């Protein structure tokens, strides 16, 4: 990464959110005043060759960031020169950071890497690649820090295996550049998320005549559509493929997944007509909108996405399933819309969860931007048949908790007896000076009670009957002694 | 002292917005940068859930970079909206790497706009080209120095010596330090930053200033050069030893004899004995990111630990001279070798050194903490020291609570 200090915040995110056990393979070649004055050629090339020796990777990708791209240095030249001295391949990520967002950049870079290695393979080997004997597929677009990507991948593997399809390669997460030349062996490509993988899929279609399935298998209906598309492709290449997918779909939908039964059950009936707002990346926002409207009877007042570049596709997908559409990357506009509509629940990103907290509206998170909560240790896919269960749980819990809070409000809160005992001072001989009280109020609620009791205990021990700031601080110091 | 000029990781200085906007309660921080800055703030501040933050991003797009849009007009539009929505007493413009490179004339535009919209605008260049992490606070405070009044309204003829402390601390910690000085008979005239913009302290040649954090060297020089204040150079009030040295130095400048300080310090040390027992003889390695490393290392040496290495993004030897001297003195008194001090360390080389040295504890940033734990090294993530309360006698225990946590867990 050719970037100033701090731009490698990505390393922190990966290490902390994914709880990655390995060091993140990203280093920043620091851009500072010296670099601005002298140019970064030496430093960048030296860093590339150094990492080549230290880490022995197969591939080093050099990428500028917003700041360094303004410098308009000839990074391609640096890359070429570094490539001469290194054992690993060196590529420059071809992205303009002002024109695209991170999803588009990932899409483009994945395609770039795949293209690089396939062209390299083609120039080296002349024999045409043979397709695998059994039906097989590549899954493209599972990436690090992706929203529940790891779980989705596991579920997709299970789904494909159920259908009798072998997994050929999964890229990029867990994949290896040395295996990219095997990609064309598969019968087709599966692109679960629209944001990353489509460019690669199109390249493989144009160059290698590989069909792809880009229906996101989220929700019962779309999972079924996805399966049908897969089956069509497989059957057209191998007419002997006779997996009974109709029975499979039927069994999964009606018995294995509990979502359809849940939608029919009477407590889901209570959700009919409730207003919801959906916002997120194009894939997740569109799918959740359709699930809420088609499969659960919930009314989607507004559906939106921040993927402005995909606005047309998005509008087409949610047409008829929501009252209005909002395409924006300005979260304050989303906040205004939510405040105006006042839905019973929000299904959005972590930004919308913050908005929900402020407006006191429950929110289930269904898309990136993410937070540590979206990297659960347990198995929580959004795709496939298990995904339908997870989604139903998420939707139901979001609405139910809202109900719970309302009921509590009506009946005056939790066990009131406890509250009275806590707030009344049990010892009337202790008084709190005004500044000490102000200080106490500043302490976060969940610790306040403990600190109050500790201070009062200390004051009683010292025979003081007025608690001042000094006594508060002294009480804190005395904790260890 | 060494300087590796290596590839190291620390946070971008605009992170200072996270604690400064909370400290200065009537402020609004406008960060003028790109998507990258926005992503970082969204992630870093999303971790601490704030419902109504007083900061925003003015995002530079291609049209701004290629000078197709008039930057003055755009900033005016945003500032008017801020004034309407939040009505702050001051708007702080935070310049970033991008504004540096395109040489956006923020200092030129701010006074004009300030006159037009009738709200003070302070410009601070907190960019990653020049600064690291906590130095963002340094640039903001240095910029605010200019806004401090020169004279109190009720100024009388007799000019008296007064004391102003600088550095951003949670208000209760500031109160604690004020109390310590009061006990010695010294009144603190004011703090920079103050809780409200309107309460900025009076600064002139009769004012003695003293910093409470090691990364505030620019603020110190600005105070001395621009406002002719006199800087009290002392170790920083981190740990009971540092706090006593800090108080003693201030007292000596004001010609007051400190009362009971040694006894007070001893009492605190006694209260820490249970934690110190866990630390004695153990070794620690600082990879470095928040510039607090020298003070923390000095305290831990006094607790009986062995410090192998102190990585630090930037070390102002003059501003930290008293602290460095105290470190040397502490090492010789505790009979340990002076730690190796590496400026701008190379993280990769440090990891190799950690592998060889196998310290009992590594204090490191979040990019390396989990991988080091996975390799059997106990780590404490360093950012927590920036957000915990670590100053003064009262909070000494908090520091050890953090340091011993990874050791207690096992």
């Amino acid at each position: 990464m050719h970037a100033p200090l701090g731009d490698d915040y990505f390393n922190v995110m990966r290490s902390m959110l994914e709880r990655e056990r390995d060091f993140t393979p990203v280093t920043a070649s620091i851009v500072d005043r010296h670099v601005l004055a002298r140019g970064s050629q030496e430093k960048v090339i030296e860093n590339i060759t150094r990492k080549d020796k230290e880490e022995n990777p197969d591939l080093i990708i050099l990428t500028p960031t917003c700041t360094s791209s303004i410098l308009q240095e000839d990074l391609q030249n640096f890359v070429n020169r570094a490539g001469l001295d290194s054992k690993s391949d060196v590529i420059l990520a071809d992205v303009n950071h002002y024109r695209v967002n991170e999803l588009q950049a990932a899409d483009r870079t994945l395609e770039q890497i795949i293209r690089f290695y396939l062209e390299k393979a083609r120039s080296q080997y002349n024999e045409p690649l043979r397709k695998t004997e059994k039906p097989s597929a590549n899954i493209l677009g599972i990436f690090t820090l992706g929203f529940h990507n790891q779980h989705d991948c596991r579920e997709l593997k299970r789904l494909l295996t159920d259908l009798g399809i072998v997994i050929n390669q999964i890229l990029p997460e867990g994949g290896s550049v040395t295996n990219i030349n095997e990609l064309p062996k598969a019968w087709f490509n599966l692109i679960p998320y629209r944001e990353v993988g489509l460019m690669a899929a199109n390249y493989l279609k144009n160059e290698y005549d590989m069909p792809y399935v880009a229906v996101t298998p989220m929700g019962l209906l779309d999972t079924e559509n996805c399966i049908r598309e897969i089956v069509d492709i497989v059957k057209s290449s191998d007419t002997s493929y006779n997996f009974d997918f109709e029975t499979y779909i039927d069994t999964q939908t009606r018995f294995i997944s509990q979502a359809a039964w849940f939608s029919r059950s009477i407590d889901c009936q209570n959700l009919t007509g409730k207003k919801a707002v959906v916002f997120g990346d194009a894939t997740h926002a569109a799918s959740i909108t359709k699930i809420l409207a088609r499969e659960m009877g919930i009314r989607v007042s507004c559906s939106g996405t921040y993927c402005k570049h995909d606005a047309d596709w998005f509008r087409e997908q949610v047409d008829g399933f929501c009252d209005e559409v909002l395409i924006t990357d300005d979260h304050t506009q989303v906040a205004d819309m939510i405040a105006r509509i006042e839905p019973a629940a929000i299904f959005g990103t972590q930004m919308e969860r913050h908005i929900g907290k402020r407006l006191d509206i429950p929110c289930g998170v269904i898309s990136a931007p993410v937070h540590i909560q979206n990297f659960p240790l347990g198995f929580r896919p959004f795709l496939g048949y298990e995904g339908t269960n997870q989604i139903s749980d998420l939707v139901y819990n979001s609405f139910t908790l809202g109900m719970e809070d309302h009921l509590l409000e009506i009946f005056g809160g939790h066990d009131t007896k406890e509250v009275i005992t806590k707030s009344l001072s049990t010892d009337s001989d202790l008084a709190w000076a005004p500044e000490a009280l102000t200080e106490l109020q500043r302490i976060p609620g969940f610790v306040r009670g403990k600190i109050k009791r500790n201070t009062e205990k200390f004051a009683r021990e010292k025979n003081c009957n007025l608690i001042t700031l000094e006594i508060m601080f002294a009480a804190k110091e005395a904790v260890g002694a | 002292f060494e300087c590796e000029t290596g590839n190291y990781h620390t946070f971008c200085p605009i992170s200072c917005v996270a604690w400064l906007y909370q400290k200065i309660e009537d402020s609004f921080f406008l960060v003028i940068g790109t998507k990258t800055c926005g992503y970082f703030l969204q992630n870093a501040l999303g971790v601490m859930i704030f419902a109504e933050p007083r900061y925003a991003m003015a995002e530079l797009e291609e049209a701004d970079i290629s000078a197709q849009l008039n930057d003055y007009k755009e900033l005016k539009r945003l500032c008017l909206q801020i004034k309407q929505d939040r009505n702050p007493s001051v708007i702080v413009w935070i310049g970033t790497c991008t504004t540096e490179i395109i040489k956006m004339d923020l200092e030129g535009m701010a006074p004009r706009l300030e006159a037009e919209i009738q709200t003070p605008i302070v410009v601070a260049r907190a960019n990653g080209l020049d600064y690291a992490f906590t130095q963002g606070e340094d640039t903001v405070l240095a910029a605010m120095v200019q806004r401090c009044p020169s004279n109190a309204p009720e100024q009388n003829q007799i000019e008296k010596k007064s004391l102003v402390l600088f550095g951003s601390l949670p208000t209760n910690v500031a109160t604690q330090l004020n109390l310590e000085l009061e006990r010695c008979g010294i009144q603190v005239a004011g703090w920079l930053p103050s809780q409200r913009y309107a309460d900025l302290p009076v600064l002139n040649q009769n004012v003695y200033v003293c910093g409470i954090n090691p990364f505030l060297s620019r603020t110190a020089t600005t105070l001395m050069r621009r406002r002719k204040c006199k800087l009290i150079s002392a170790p920083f009030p981190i740990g009971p030893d540092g706090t006593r040295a800090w108080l003693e130095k201030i007292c000596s400048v004001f010609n007051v004899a400190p009362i009971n300080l040694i006894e007070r310090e001893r009492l605190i040390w006694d209260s820490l004995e249970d934690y110190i027992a866990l630390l004695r003889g153990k070794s620690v390695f600082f990879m470095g990111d928040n510039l607090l490393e020298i003070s923390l290392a000095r305290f831990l040496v006094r607790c009986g630990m062995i410090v192998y290495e102190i990585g630090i993004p930037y070390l102002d030897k003059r501003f930290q001279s008293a602290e460095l001297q105290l470190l040397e003195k502490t090492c010789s008194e505790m009979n340990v070798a002076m730690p190796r001090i590496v400026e701008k360390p190379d993280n990769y080389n440090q990891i190799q050194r950690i592998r060889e040295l196998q310290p009992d504890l590594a204090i490191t940033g979040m990019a390396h903490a989990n991988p080091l734990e996975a390799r059997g090294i106990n780590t404490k993530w360093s950012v927590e020291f920036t957000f915990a309360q670590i100053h003064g006698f009262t909070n000494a225990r908090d520091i050890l609570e953090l340091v011993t946590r990874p050791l207690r867990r096992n």
Side-chain angles (χ1 to χ4, degrees):
Chain A
M1 198 189 279
H2 181 48
L5 209 53
D7 273 3
D8 59 348
Y9 187 72
F10 168 75
N11 291 29
V12 170
M13 283 171 63
R14 182 155 184 264
S15 187
M16 296 298 289
L17 293 179
E18 293 258 32
R19 292 194 196 87
E20 183 54 46
R21 293 176 202 210
D22 275 322
F23 294 102
T24 305
V26 175
T27 304
S29 173
I30 306 282
V31 175
D32 57 16
R33 288 284 170 191
H34 297 294
V35 166
L36 284 186
R38 298 172 47 195
S40 44
Q41 180 163 359
E42 273 171 41
K43 195 165 189 191
V44 170
I45 295 180
E46 192 217 307
N47 270 318
I48 294 177
T49 46
R50 185 188 148 187
K51 282 301 159 189
D52 178 51
K53 290 199 186 62
E54 283 169 357
E55 313 265 9
N56 291 318
D58 295 301
L59 169 67
I60 297 177
I61 302 183
L62 175 66
T63 177
T65 64
C66 299
T67 306
S68 50
S69 59
I70 306 182
L71 298 175
Q72 297 198 320
E73 295 171 301
D74 188 1
L75 294 176
Q76 185 60 57
N77 184 12
F78 301 173
V79 157
N80 295 340
R81 285 195 43 195
L84 294 172
D85 290 321
S86 1
K87 290 212 186 79
S88 41
D89 299 309
V90 188
I91 302 180
L92 174 67
D94 170 35
V95 205
N96 180 322
H97 299 276
Y98 292 95
R99 293 202 188 141
V100 299
N101 65 24
E102 73 275 28
L103 299 165
Q104 293 168 296
D107 197 15
R108 169 82 186 103
T109 310
L110 179 63
E111 189 246 15
Q112 198 187 347
I113 296 172
I114 290 178
R115 183 192 286 259
F116 178 83
Y117 279 96
L118 284 179
E119 282 176 5
K120 192 172 165 195
R122 243 204 308 224
S123 65
Q124 288 177 347
Y125 312 111
N126 280 321
E127 59 167 89
L129 270 171
R130 278 183 310 159
K131 296 283 178 193
T132 55
E133 231 185 272
K134 290 238 164 55
S136 62
N138 300 315
I139 307 179
L140 299 180
I142 307 288
F143 53 101
T144 199
L145 291 179
F147 183 77
H148 288 242
N149 276 199
Q150 296 309 319
H151 309 291
D152 284 343
C153 186
R154 203 171 128 190
E155 179 66 11
L156 288 176
K157 284 200 254 191
R158 184 175 79 87
L159 185 66
L160 289 174
T161 312
D162 281 350
L163 296 174
I165 299 174
V166 174
I167 316 283
N168 184 29
Q169 295 291 322
I170 302 179
L171 284 179
E173 185 63 17
S176 168
V177 294
T178 48
N179 291 334
I180 289 183
N181 56 345
E182 309 256 320
L183 278 177
K185 279 192 186 158
W187 290 32
F188 68 97
N189 295 312
L190 176 58
I191 317 293
Y193 315 109
R194 223 182 129 67
E195 287 74 33
V196 178
L198 267 186
M199 278 185 82
N202 279 318
Y203 168 73
L204 290 167
K205 179 141 194 264
N206 294 333
E207 292 293 316
Y208 295 86
D209 210 20
M210 290 179 81
Y212 64 83
V213 175
V215 174
T216 305
M218 204 185 298
L220 291 168
L221 294 170
D222 275 341
T223 306
E224 183 180 333
N225 290 335
C226 182
I227 294 177
R228 287 184 188 282
E229 269 199 36
I230 292 175
V231 166
D232 282 342
I233 290 177
V234 172
K235 273 203 175 143
S236 64
S237 308
D238 173 16
T239 43
S240 70
Y241 177 74
N242 59 356
F243 177 77
D244 183 5
F245 63 94
E246 294 286 358
T247 310
Y248 176 76
I249 292 175
D250 186 59
T251 323
Q252 292 285 325
T253 306
R254 289 204 291 144
F255 300 106
I256 308 294
S257 158
Q258 299 297 310
W261 168 232
F262 166 72
S263 303
R264 184 89 199 158
S265 66
I266 52 178
D267 49 351
C268 184
Q269 252 180 46
N270 288 340
L271 299 179
T272 309
K274 277 203 191 284
K275 280 196 295 183
V277 160
V278 179
F279 195 84
D281 62 44
T283 304
H284 289 87
S287 293
I288 296 289
T289 303
K290 289 189 280 183
I291 292 171
L292 292 175
R294 291 196 293 196
E295 299 178 23
M296 299 178 97
I298 291 164
R299 180 168 160 205
V300 181
S301 303
C302 181
S303 178
T305 179
Y306 54 85
C307 295
K308 298 195 288 196
H309 60 279
D310 224 356
D312 292 337
W313 177 87
F314 183 78
R315 281 182 202 280
E316 188 211 343
Q317 286 293 306
V318 300
D319 183 39
F321 298 119
C322 59
D323 297 339
E324 29 174 306
V325 176
L326 177 62
I327 314 271
T328 178
D329 59 2
D330 180 353
H331 63 93
T332 52
Q333 278 189 33
V334 182
D336 290 340
M337 175 268 290
I338 293 176
R340 174 174 51 90
I341 292 181
E342 288 183 306
I346 308 167
F347 296 99
T349 73
Q350 284 287 345
M351 300 299 286
E352 281 68 56
R353 191 169 76 86
H354 291 193
I355 294 169
K357 283 198 116 166
R358 188 156 44 98
L359 299 173
D360 211 18
I361 302 175
C363 176
V365 179
I366 51 101
S367 153
V370 291
H371 186 28
I372 189 68
Q373 303 164 331
N374 303 119
F375 293 89
L377 302 171
F379 179 50
R380 292 236 243 287
F382 269 64
L383 300 182
Y385 288 107
E386 182 54 30
T388 60
N389 290 340
Q390 298 291 336
I391 294 175
S392 296
D393 278 342
L394 180 68
V395 170
Y396 188 50
N397 286 332
S398 303
F399 280 107
T400 318
L401 288 183
M403 264 303 282
E404 208 173 61
D405 284 340
H406 287 309
L407 285 175
L408 282 171
E409 247 183 70
I410 295 173
F411 291 112
H414 289 272
D415 190 358
T416 44
K417 205 167 87 171
E418 219 190 316
V419 170
I420 293 174
T421 329
K422 266 196 189 148
S423 59
L424 277 185
S425 192
T426 44
D427 295 291
S428 53
D429 58 336
L430 278 179
W432 283 73
E435 335 84 65
L437 262 182
T438 319
E439 182 62 33
L440 187 64
Q441 288 309 312
R442 274 205 207 103
I443 294 170
F446 57 90
V447 197
R448 200 178 299 143
K450 198 165 104 179
I451 299 205
K452 179 169 188 277
R453 282 191 287 280
N454 182 46
T455 311
E456 289 181 342
K457 178 164 161 249
F458 177 79
R460 256 177 252 127
E461 279 170 14
K462 301 284 172 188
N463 278 323
C464 305
N465 46 19
L466 178 67
I467 297 180
T468 61
L469 269 184
E470 287 224 26
I471 296 199
M472 272 189 89
F473 298 147
K476 183 179 179 193
E477 282 171 31
V479 165
Chain B
F1 299 112
E2 288 171 48
C3 184
E4 263 182 332
T5 317
N7 296 333
Y8 67 101
H9 166 79
T10 181
F11 290 129
C12 173
I14 64 173
S15 50
C16 69
V17 168
W19 63 86
L20 286 177
Y21 92 82
Q22 286 185 78
K23 173 70 187 177
I24 310 174
E25 289 171 6
D26 51 354
S27 63
F28 192 96
F29 282 77
L30 184 64
V31 179
I32 304 167
T34 60
K35 264 206 280 275
T36 313
C37 314
Y39 282 137
F40 169 59
L41 285 180
Q42 182 182 52
N43 268 291
L45 293 177
V47 170
M48 303 170 275
I49 299 170
F50 298 123
E52 303 225 16
R54 280 173 285 105
Y55 68 89
M57 275 291 310
E59 192 179 313
L60 294 165
E61 298 172 334
E62 232 183 337
D64 297 292
I65 311 285
S66 49
Q68 281 169 35
L69 288 176
N70 181 302
D71 41 16
Y72 183 83
K73 284 217 196 90
E74 293 296 307
L75 284 170
K76 176 172 169 179
R77 180 176 60 84
L78 287 173
C79 287
L80 279 173
Q81 196 181 340
I82 292 168
K83 185 166 173 168
Q84 197 187 339
D85 288 344
R86 311 284 184 169
N87 199 17
S89 304
V90 62
I91 299 178
V92 182
W93 284 358
I94 302 283
T96 59
C97 303
T98 316
T99 51
E100 282 302 298
I101 296 189
I102 61 175
K103 297 206 197 308
M104 193 183 253
D105 187 15
L106 295 173
E107 277 94 349
M109 291 190 280
R112 271 174 59 201
L113 190 51
E114 181 172 337
E116 256 192 84
I117 66 171
Q118 295 291 304
T119 302
I121 299 179
V122 171
V123 177
R125 295 164 175 242
N127 67 73
L129 296 164
D130 297 313
Y131 307 110
F133 194 12
T134 43
Q135 291 181 296
E137 177 183 325
D138 196 19
T139 64
V140 174
L141 294 187
M144 289 208 137
V145 166
Q146 298 313 320
R147 301 295 177 135
C148 296
S150 310
N151 296 298
E154 352 68 58
Q155 194 69 35
N156 47 18
Q157 294 298 81
I158 310 160
E159 311 286 9
K160 224 173 52 161
K161 290 203 297 201
S162 63
L163 176 67
V164 165
L165 300 177
F166 62 95
S168 174
L169 284 181
T171 311
N172 61 330
V173 182
T175 312
Q176 286 161 9
L177 292 181
N178 286 346
L179 276 177
E180 301 288 354
L181 284 165
E182 243 181 70
R183 279 206 198 101
C184 299
I186 299 175
Q187 287 290 341
V188 176
W191 277 82
L192 172 70
S194 47
Q195 233 176 315
R196 301 193 69 79
Y197 179 72
D199 299 336
L200 283 175
V202 170
L203 296 175
N204 55 43
Q205 67 270 27
N206 295 311
V207 176
Y208 282 79
V209 289
C210 190
I212 49 91
N213 264 329
F215 44 80
L216 299 170
S217 49
R218 279 200 60 190
T219 309
T221 43
T222 310
L223 285 165
M224 288 193 292
R225 287 195 198 136
R226 297 287 187 89
R227 304 305 287 263
K228 310 281 183 250
C229 301
K230 301 191 181 38
L231 177 70
I232 302 178
S233 176
F236 299 98
I238 296 172
D241 49 342
T243 309
R244 177 172 69 89
W246 183 76
L247 289 170
E248 271 179 355
K249 186 66 195 288
I250 297 179
C251 285
S252 80
V253 168
F254 279 77
N255 281 323
V256 196
I259 309 168
N260 260 345
L261 269 187
I262 301 186
E263 178 63 19
R264 185 137 161 65
E265 188 196 346
R266 193 185 64 77
L267 278 174
I268 300 290
W269 280 111
D270 287 343
S271 75
L272 301 174
E273 183 54 35
D274 55 343
Y275 278 159
I276 295 178
L278 293 170
L279 294 175
R280 244 179 228 119
K282 298 251 168 52
S283 55
V284 61
F285 189 113
F286 284 85
M287 278 184 75
D289 65 353
N290 54 23
L291 283 88
L292 296 171
E293 287 80 17
I294 308 281
S295 307
L296 289 172
R298 181 258 305 145
F299 174 43
L300 292 181
V301 169
R302 182 60 76 180
C303 288
M305 291 190 87
I306 306 164
V307 179
Y308 285 148
E309 179 171 321
I310 305 176
I312 191 167
Y314 169 70
L315 177 58
D316 188 311
K317 297 198 186 66
R318 282 188 313 175
F319 188 61
Q320 292 218 47
S321 60
E323 185 66 73
L324 287 167
Q325 270 173 20
L326 184 58
L327 175 64
E328 238 183 287
K329 179 160 165 256
T330 311
C331 285
S332 84
E333 281 174 17
M334 299 295 293
N335 228 351
V336 290
M338 262 289 273
R340 181 176 172 181
I341 300 181
V342 184
E343 241 185 298
K344 292 193 181 21
D346 186 277
N347 283 156
Y348 180 83
N349 293 343
Q350 283 181 314
I351 303 282
Q352 305 313 312
R353 295 200 280 270
I354 290 176
R355 246 204 342 216
E356 284 167 41
L357 292 166
Q358 292 285 315
D360 295 303
L361 181 66
I363 298 186
T364 171
M366 293 195 281
H368 295 102
N370 271 336
L372 282 174
E373 286 279 354
R375 282 155 182 75
I377 306 273
N378 292 320
T379 61
K380 177 76 211 77
W381 37 291
S382 43
V383 178
E384 211 168 359
F385 291 105
T386 325
F387 295 115
Q389 300 182 356
I390 58 170
H391 294 77
F393 287 122
T394 320
N395 299 310
R397 195 171 173 77
D398 291 47
I399 306 178
L400 292 187
E401 162 80 35
L402 292 176
V403 174
T404 56
R405 199 184 294 149
L407 302 174
R408 278 182 283 132
R409 177 189 54 174
N410 298 323

